[in-house]
Amino acid sequence: MRTKHTFRLPPELARQLADYAGRKRLHQAFVVETALASFLSPDNSERMEAALGKRLDRLTRQVERLERQITISNEAMALFVRFWLTATSPVPDAALPAAQAKGRERYQRFIEALGRRLAKGQGLAQELSLDAEPQGEKSNNSGSV
């Protein structure tokens, strides 16, 4: 036995209900009943909350990894710039055109090497984490399968 309910919907919501029921070839009462059951089901909200929590945890871990990689990249760039500025002497004005041409050539080789490295797939952050691993852990990990 079913209980009859009468209620009013805003015109836009009533249109959406009619359109959806028409597309799916369902009675509007069935669509409303299913929607209410889903909305009022405590299990559904708990499942949705758990799924959302898992997604947020995964996103948090991804953001933390990105933050670590950006920090490593920033530090590497800063260290390189400091070293380059300290170790490179100024170029005399007479040699400036030749130095600029050599710089363009080196930059082109750098871009090509960067493209090859990116295509290979292993980034600097991975390489640094492998290099930073203590020697004792490397030998222990390589022997265990």
Side-chain angles (χ1 to χ4, degrees), residues 65-76 125:
R65 280 193 301 269
L66 285 172
E67 183 180 24
R68 181 174 183 271
Q69 290 175 352
I70 288 170
T71 299
I72 290 170
S73 296
N74 287 345
E75 289 300 318

Side-chain angles (χ1 to χ4, degrees), residues 88-109:
T88 305
S89 58
V91 177
D93 289 340
L96 194 57
Q100 288 174 338
K102 190 62 155 174
R104 283 190 290 276
E105 178 187 325
R106 287 180 175 174
Y107 180 73
Q108 186 59 40
R109 286 194 312 234

Side-chain angles (χ1 to χ4, degrees), residues 36-120:
L36 277 172
S38 176
F39 183 78
L40 297 175
S41 170
D43 294 337
N44 188 36
S45 64
E46 290 172 8
R47 277 191 306 237
M48 288 177 62
E49 186 176 334
L52 184 60
K54 284 181 183 180
R55 288 179 186 159
L56 287 174
D57 289 344
R58 188 182 75 232
L59 287 171
T60 300
R61 287 190 303 273
Q62 288 174 340
V63 167
E64 288 170 351
R65 280 193 301 269
L66 285 172
E67 183 180 24
R68 181 174 183 271
Q69 290 175 352
I70 288 170
T71 299
I72 290 170
S73 296
N74 287 345
E75 289 300 318
M77 180 62 79
L79 185 62
F80 172 78
V81 168
R82 181 188 297 167
F83 174 78
W84 185 80
L85 290 173
T86 304
T88 305
S89 58
V91 177
D93 289 340
L96 194 57
Q100 288 174 338
K102 190 62 155 174
R104 283 190 290 276
E105 178 187 325
R106 287 180 175 174
Y107 180 73
Q108 186 59 40
R109 286 194 312 234
F110 167 76
I111 294 298
E112 290 167 1
L114 179 63
R116 285 191 305 272
R117 186 173 181 90
L118 290 174
K120 191 169 85 171

